[in-house]
Every structure is written in structure tokens, then in C-alpha cells.
């Protein structure tokens, strides 16, 4: 009985102490004179997200609206005190001017998958970014266009087979997976096939699910600590050999293509990436100058990059196209105007759809831009503090290893920057002169912004131009309107599927 009493007392004491600690933890920012929202013990500000009531982006927007004049707002990611940046000038410092203080996305496990550009940190990231940026020059993209366009044709053929109640996010997913499959894995004709294994595996990476969300919330370090695999090993076992085989095939057969795999083969032929002490591109990457280093261009590093392109690339692209399809279906007059422009540009150029003619489709590109504002694939972004930082004009000091959050949705929906922000108004971009790089963030900004933005825009313009020529898109009556965003998702997936009808046009 006595032992039982001691155990109960011990348990109660532990709970009370943990609770007091959690309460104290929630005072972290208030004690430093920074406004904070309504953190709860242990859960911090995450309860609405956990209850699936709001996405993290929606929740941060609510916080920013509650304190419109505060440059930063204290935010608790569970028990971890972080800051939300609520001021564009300060955001410019975080993402661009003072980049060396915010260079990483967080600690990562040292496995093959996390060797990718999105996840790597410090010098390794710097070395890889330096050597992979040339893959996205205008010249390279121009060469890649015919391949993407060919896949776009296959995609149109696929759509011809299903024109009623089409889940376009899923269909664009097939197309975007195929594009990455061909260009980054050297695998052709896989993702658009019925029950394609490649597509099924790729979908698993980020599909909205509780397990994927837990993986994201806990992060690799906590997953490791709990003895859970931070990476889905099934995916690595599938995609790893695919890249190895593609590299081997290209090397042994002398096959030369204009794609990412080819760039990797060329890099491998050079042996190592050498980063000089005073690399000129540091000016662009805004890094502190670092010691010389050599990075071996191993197969594993290449697998990491291909996986990274898959992870960072196909979901965001498919989702963005899916949302654009939604906006065009909801605004038939804008859809007609965009279609008319595509026809006119093509007629002017003898029906040639290529890198340059697509760039002439100015109205379509404003539709894409406005869609990126309203439906950014990431409604929130973040950076880890890599060097202590005194936040200018505030009493906040950020310690190494803490996080700052970038409230993309809040910025994109702020009437200060975008009048009538909830409306889809492509024309707002025609007269847009404000060059502030931080008020438009679908691809992020600064040295760590999406490396493939121009590639993704080219791919999307190509696919949407083809779609507009071949089909008229309308909402299927079973689609729940207005769509809600899934809170248990890294990307802004609709909670319920968006279904469309496609009417074939005589083009
Ligand atoms: C519409 C399509 C896409 C969107 C909206 C998008 C968006 C983003 C965003 C928001 C980031 C983070 C930027 C930051 O933190 O400032 C990012 C990073 C990245 N994206 Fe994209 N992305 C798209 C397509 C692609 C594609 C097709 C690829 C690959 C071919 C790709 C590869 C990457 C990589 C490698 C990074 C990490 C860059 C680094 O940390 O240096 N993305 N993307």
C-alpha cells in the first residue's frame, strides 16, 4: 500500500512539475517582451492544426491578423518557441540580406534521401546548389522543352480516355510524376500507365495522411530518437536502384539527353565538386566564405538529388496545376480569354509550341501567377537559425537551432498588398510594379528559393496551354464548394477531391 502511495505521489509530482515546466515554457516570448498568441501547455499553438480545424498557414494568418503591427509574433511549435515573421522588410533580411543566419531548414539524418538539395545543410548544400543551378539556365530549358511537350501530348491522350468527374490533381500528378521520372530518373512511360508502380510509390511521399503528417511534425531528429525511420525505406529501396541503373545505362551506352540525369552523369565524369575558399557564387548564395572542400559525386549523392527533385517537385507542380484548373473552371470568361491567347500566339508562329512561344502567352502567365498567390503549394515556410540573430527593432534574440516561420498565406491574402485578396484577378499582375520579392512567395525567395522555378513554370505553361486548346474545363457538381484545405498535409491539398468535367474542343 505504501509503495502504491509513493508511486502515485511520484506520478502526481512528475505531472505537476511537467505542467509547471510547460507553463513556464509558454512564457518564453512574453518574458522577452514579444507578443504571443494563445499557447497551451505541451501543445503550444498547434491544437487547431492537430484537430484538423485549420492548416498551419491558416492558423499563422489568424495570429498575424491579431497583431497586425507587430514585426514578429511568438509562436510555439508544441514546446519549441519560434517566431513568426510579420513584416516584409524583416522577412527580406531573413530570406535574403541576412541569409547566413538562416541558411538551413533544420538538422537532417545522414541517409541517402536526405543528401538532397532541399534537406542538406551548410557547405554540402552550398556545393550542390552551385553545381546544380546551371541545369536551369534558359539554354538548358529550351533544350528540355520538346521532351516535356511530348509528355504533355501523352497526357492529353490520357485525358481523352476520361472526361467526366476527373480528379485533375491526381491526373496532373500522373503527368508531373512522369516528367520527373523521365528527367530525373531516366524512366520513361511509367507514371501515366494504369496502376503504375512508379506513380503509386511517388504518391506515397507526400500524400495527405496521418503518418506523413506525424513524420513532418516530429522531424527527423525526434523520429530517430523514438526509433522510428525518418524516411520511408520502401521508397528508397524502389527509387535508389532506379537512379543507379539510369546513371549506369547512360555511362555505358553513351546515351546523351537534355535532362537532369545527363547533368549528373557529366558531374560524375568530373569526379568531385570542388568548392574554393572564395567561390564567386558565394556572393549570390550570400554565405560566409568557408574552407575549401571536395564533395565526391557518388551515386548516392545523385540518388539523393533525384529523390529531392521528386520530393520537392512533383506534388507542388501537380497541385498548382490542379488549383489553376479549379480557378479556370470557376471563371469561364478568364478561361476563354486564356484559350484565345494560346490560339493567337500559336497561329502567329505556325502552331509552334516551344519555350519561346509559351513565354509570349502573357495573360496565361498572369493566371499562373495569380493562382500561385491564392494557392501557394506551401502556405507556410520556415528556416532554422544557423547563427544567433538579434531581430532588428525588436527585443527578440534568436538562438542557434531555433526556427522562424514565414506566413506565406497571410502575406498573399493581406489586403495591404493585394486588394480584394480572396478574388482570382489575373489582371492585377499586369500593372504590378512593386518589385518587393517577399510579398510573393509560392517558390520562396533568396538563395534557398526553389531552384526549379523556371522549369516548373515552363512545364505548367506547356501543360495548361495544351489543356486549354483541347478541352473546356468545368466543375463537376459533386465537388464540395468552397474547397477546404487539408490540415494534415505538408502541401495545400484540397480536403475533398476537386472533380472536373472536360468537354472536348475541335482544335
Ligand atoms: C509549381 C511547382 C513548384 C513549387 C510551387 C515549388 C515551390 C518550392 C518552394 C516554396 C521551395 C522552398 C523555397 C524556400 O524555402 O525559400 C522549393 C524548394 C525547392 N524546389 Fe521547388 N517548387 C516547385 C517545383 C519544383 C520542381 C519541379 C523541382 C525539381 C525539378 C523543384 C525542386 C526544388 C528543390 C531542389 C528545392 C530546394 C532548394 C534549396 O534548398 O536550395 N521544385 N520549391
Amino acid at each position: 500500500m505504501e509503495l502504491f502511495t509513493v508511486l502515485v505521489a511520484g506520478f502526481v509530482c512528475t505531472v505537476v512539475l511537467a505542467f509547471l515546466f510547460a507553463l513556464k515554457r509558454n512564457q518564453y516570448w512574453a518574458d522577452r517582451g514579444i507578443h504571443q498568441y494563445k499557447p497551451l501547455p505541451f501543445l503550444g499553438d498547434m491544437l487547431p492544426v492537430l484537430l484538423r480545424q485549420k492548416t498551419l498557414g491558416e492558423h499563422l494568418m489568424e495570429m498575424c491578423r491579431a497583431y497586425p503591427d507587430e514585426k514578429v509574433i511568438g509562436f510555439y511549435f508544441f514546446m519549441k518557441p519560434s517566431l513568426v515573421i510579420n513584416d516584409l522588410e524583416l522577412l527580406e533580411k531573413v530570406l535574403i540580406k541576412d541569409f547566413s543566419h538562416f541558411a538551413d531548414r533544420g538538422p537532417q539524418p545522414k541517409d541517402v534521401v536526405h543528401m538532397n538539395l532541399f534537406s542538406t545543410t551548410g557547405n554540402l548544400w552550398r556545393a550542390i546548389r552551385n553545381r546544380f543551378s546551371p541545369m536551369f539556365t534558359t539554354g538548358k530549358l529550351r533544350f528540355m522543352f520538346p521532351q516535356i511537350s511530348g509528355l504533355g501530348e501523352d497526357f492529353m491522350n490520357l485525358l481523352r480516355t476520361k472526361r467526366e468527374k476527373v480528379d485533375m490533381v491526381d491526373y496532373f500528378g500522373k503527368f508531373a510524376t512522369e516528367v520527373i521520372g523521365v528527367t530525373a530518373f531516366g524512366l520513361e512511360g511509367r507514371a501515366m500507365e494504369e496502376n503504375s508502380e512508379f506513380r503509386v510509390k511517388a504518391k506515397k511521399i507526400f500524400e495527405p495522411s496521418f503518418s506523413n503528417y506525424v513524420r513532418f511534425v516530429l522531424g527527423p531528429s525526434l523520429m530517430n530518437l523514438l526509433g522510428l525511420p525518418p524516411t520511408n525505406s520502401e521508397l528508397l529501396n524502389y527509387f535508389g536502384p532506379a537512379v543507379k541503373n539510369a546513371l549506369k545505362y547512360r555511362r555505358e551506352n553513351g546515351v546523351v539527353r537534355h535532362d537532369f540525369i545527363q547533368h549528373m552523369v557529366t558531374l560524375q565524369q568530373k569526379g568531385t565538386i570542388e568548392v574554393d575558399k572564395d567561390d564567386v557564387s558565394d556572393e549570390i548564395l550570400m554565405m560566409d566564405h568557408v574552407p575549401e572542400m571536395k564533395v565526391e559525386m557518388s551515386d548516392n549523392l545523385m540518388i539523393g538529388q533525384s529523390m529531392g527533385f521528386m520530393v520537392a517537385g512533383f506534388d507542388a507542380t501537380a497541385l498548382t496545376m490542379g488549383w489553376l484548373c479549379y480557378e479556370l473552371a470557376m471563371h469561364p470568361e478568364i478561361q476563354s480569354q486564356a484559350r484565345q491567347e494560346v490560339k493567337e500566339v500559336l497561329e502567329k508562329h505556325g502552331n509552334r509550341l516551344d519555350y519561346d512561344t509559351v513565354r509570349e502567352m502573357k495573360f496565361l502567365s498572369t493566371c499562373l501567377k495569380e493562382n500561385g498567390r491564392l494557392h501557394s503549394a506551401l502556405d507556410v515556410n520556415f528556416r532554422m537559425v544557423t547563427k544567433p540573430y538579434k531581430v532588428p527593432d525588436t527585443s527578440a534574440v534568436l538562438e542557434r537551432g531555433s526556427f522562424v516561420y514565414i506566413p506565406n498565406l497571410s502575406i498573399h491574402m493581406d489586403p495591404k498588398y493585394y486588394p480584394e485578396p480572396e478574388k482570382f484577378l489575373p489582371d492585377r499582375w499586369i500593372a504590378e510594379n512593386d518589385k518587393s520579392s517577399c510579398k510573393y512567395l509560392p517558390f520562396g525567395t533568396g538563395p534557398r528559393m526553389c531552384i526549379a522555378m523556371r522549369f516548373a513554370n515552363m512545364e505548367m505553361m506547356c501543360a495548361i496551354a495544351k489543356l486549354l486548346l483541347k478541352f473546356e474545363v468545368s466543375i463537376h457538381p459533386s465537388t464540395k464548394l468552397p474547397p477546404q484545405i487539408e490540415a494534415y498535409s505538408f502541401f495545400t491539398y484540397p480536403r475533398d477531391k476537386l472533380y472536373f468535367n472536360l468537354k472536348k474542343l475541335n482544335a
Side-chain angles (χ1 to χ4, degrees):
M1 188 65 177
E2 245 176 42
L3 179 66
F4 179 73
T5 314
V6 170
L7 284 177
V8 170
F11 177 73
V12 171
C13 280
T14 312
V15 169
V16 169
L17 282 177
F19 195 74
L20 289 176
F21 174 75
L23 282 180
K24 177 80 189 132
R25 192 74 172 159
N26 281 358
Q27 283 301 109
Y28 183 91
W29 289 119
D31 287 349
R32 286 159 179 77
I34 299 295
H35 280 79
Q36 57 184 43
Y37 201 51
K38 301 168 186 164
L40 295 170
F42 306 110
L43 298 179
D45 288 302
M46 292 300 287
L47 185 65
V49 182
L50 284 179
L51 293 179
R52 228 173 145 213
Q53 291 166 339
K54 285 180 206 147
T55 67
L56 186 53
E58 288 164 347
H59 193 41
L60 296 193
M61 177 158 78
E62 190 179 301
M63 291 165 111
C64 293
R65 295 296 178 269
Y67 298 111
D69 298 325
E70 295 304 314
K71 283 177 188 286
V72 289
I73 301 165
F75 165 66
Y76 296 84
F77 187 77
F78 297 96
M79 305 255 300
K80 198 162 173 62
S82 312
L83 276 188
V84 179
I85 309 294
N86 191 30
D87 174 78
L88 289 195
E89 243 176 78
L90 180 58
L91 191 54
E92 198 173 357
K93 288 197 166 70
V94 167
L95 293 176
I96 306 170
K97 294 182 180 155
D98 295 332
F99 173 76
S100 65
H101 292 261
F102 303 93
D104 295 338
R105 296 199 170 88
Q108 303 290 340
K110 306 236 169 306
D111 61 23
V112 178
V113 177
H114 290 89
M115 273 185 178
N116 72 66
L117 191 60
F118 193 87
S119 309
T120 41
T121 56
N123 291 345
L124 182 58
W125 166 74
R126 172 178 175 262
I128 302 173
R129 178 104 192 182
N130 273 347
R131 294 309 184 268
F132 278 79
S133 294
M135 283 193 324
F136 300 96
T137 58
T138 302
K140 292 271 164 59
L141 295 181
R142 215 176 245 130
F143 272 126
M144 280 171 117
F145 192 94
Q147 204 171 11
I148 308 293
S149 181
L151 297 176
E153 272 317 301
D154 297 344
F155 180 45
M156 292 305 122
N157 291 334
L158 180 71
L159 288 178
R160 276 193 196 100
T161 63
K162 166 118 178 111
R163 298 214 299 274
E164 287 227 344
K165 205 180 171 195
V166 190
D167 172 359
M168 284 301 280
V169 173
D170 187 50
Y171 270 71
F172 278 123
K174 291 175 195 255
F175 167 66
T177 311
E178 179 72 4
V179 168
I180 296 285
V182 168
T183 54
F185 289 87
L187 295 174
E188 262 163 62
R190 299 287 179 93
M192 288 196 254
E193 285 165 10
E194 192 67 27
N195 301 324
S196 146
E197 194 187 7
F198 187 64
R199 167 80 182 131
V200 170
K201 302 271 189 218
K203 235 176 137 175
K204 279 197 179 166
I205 300 176
F206 272 133
E207 69 185 352
S209 68
F210 190 67
S211 60
N212 269 351
Y213 198 68
V214 167
R215 200 171 266 129
F216 163 62
V217 166
L218 294 183
S221 315
L222 257 180
M223 290 285 285
N224 268 336
L225 204 71
L226 297 172
L228 301 167
T231 310
N232 186 333
S233 53
E234 184 196 339
L235 299 181
L236 181 58
N237 294 341
Y238 180 77
F239 289 113
V243 179
K244 264 193 181 169
N245 290 341
L247 291 169
K248 189 164 174 271
Y249 180 79
R250 297 271 175 106
R251 276 193 303 259
E252 288 178 357
N253 297 287
V255 177
V256 178
R257 296 251 174 87
H258 299 290
D259 59 15
F260 303 142
I261 281 278
Q262 195 63 44
H263 187 77
M264 295 181 197
V265 171
T266 312
L267 283 178
Q268 283 197 316
Q269 280 160 355
K270 292 184 183 156
T272 50
I273 303 180
E274 293 188 19
V275 181
D276 296 336
K277 198 161 183 294
D278 294 319
D279 198 316
V280 276
S281 52
D282 284 345
E283 301 287 318
I284 306 163
L285 298 182
M286 291 173 203
M287 297 285 282
D288 289 342
H289 290 188
V290 291
E292 291 168 61
M293 65 181 293
K294 282 189 179 182
V295 180
E296 202 208 327
M297 291 287 86
S298 61
D299 276 3
N300 276 354
L301 192 74
M302 299 304 136
I303 293 171
Q305 301 326 306
S306 289
M307 296 278 300
F309 288 160
M310 177 67 91
V311 168
F314 100 80
D315 261 304
T317 317
L319 198 53
T320 305
M321 287 191 281
W323 281 118
L324 179 56
C325 209
Y326 165 77
E327 291 298 348
L328 293 174
M330 293 297 283
H331 300 89
E333 66 302 341
I334 295 180
Q335 186 181 152
S336 301
Q337 192 179 341
R339 179 175 297 111
Q340 190 54 31
E341 182 192 57
V342 173
K343 280 185 180 167
E344 281 170 14
V345 170
L346 289 184
E347 268 165 30
K348 192 169 137 201
H349 294 284
N351 273 333
R352 209 183 69 231
L353 185 72
D354 62 16
Y355 181 79
D356 297 294
T357 51
V358 154
R359 282 168 62 89
E360 266 187 50
M361 297 169 188
K362 299 285 182 217
F363 182 68
L364 185 58
S365 89
T366 60
C367 293
L368 200 63
K369 187 142 191 194
E370 177 69 342
N371 179 61
R373 178 187 72 81
L374 270 177
H375 304 290
S376 201
L378 290 184
D379 64 2
V380 54
N381 198 352
F382 59 91
R383 289 282 189 276
M384 189 181 81
V385 179
T386 39
K387 273 195 302 187
Y389 190 72
K390 159 87 183 71
V391 184
D393 308 324
T394 75
S395 52
V397 177
L398 285 161
E399 288 168 17
R400 192 167 181 273
S402 57
F403 282 81
V404 292
Y405 284 81
I406 302 142
N408 289 356
L409 182 71
S410 170
I411 296 168
H412 290 169
M413 296 303 284
D414 193 332
K416 252 192 334 245
Y417 312 127
Y418 300 104
E420 301 187 276
E422 68 295 343
K423 290 196 176 155
F424 180 69
L425 299 173
D427 283 352
R428 74 168 85 236
W429 296 102
I430 294 171
E432 174 66 37
N433 292 319
D434 186 349
K435 296 277 180 261
S436 162
S437 59
C438 289
K439 78 174 212 196
Y440 185 74
L441 297 164
F443 292 96
T445 189
R448 212 136 190 184
M449 74 178 291
C450 178
I451 193 172
M453 177 179 78
R454 298 175 69 226
F455 172 81
N457 277 333
M458 170 183 91
E459 177 186 345
M460 294 190 292
M461 288 287 286
C462 173
I464 298 288
K466 282 178 191 281
L467 182 79
L468 285 170
L469 280 178
K470 302 276 189 306
F471 303 102
E472 193 180 287
V473 187
S474 58
I475 300 277
H476 187 272
S478 66
T479 301
K480 274 196 199 160
L481 298 177
Q484 304 287 309
I485 308 299
E486 174 55 61
Y488 286 168
S489 171
F490 185 67
F491 289 114
T492 51
Y493 267 98
R495 179 178 280 204
D496 303 295
K497 296 212 180 294
L498 302 175
Y499 289 114
F500 299 87
N501 284 340
L502 304 179
K503 186 174 145 205
K504 198 164 173 297
L505 297 172
N506 298 319

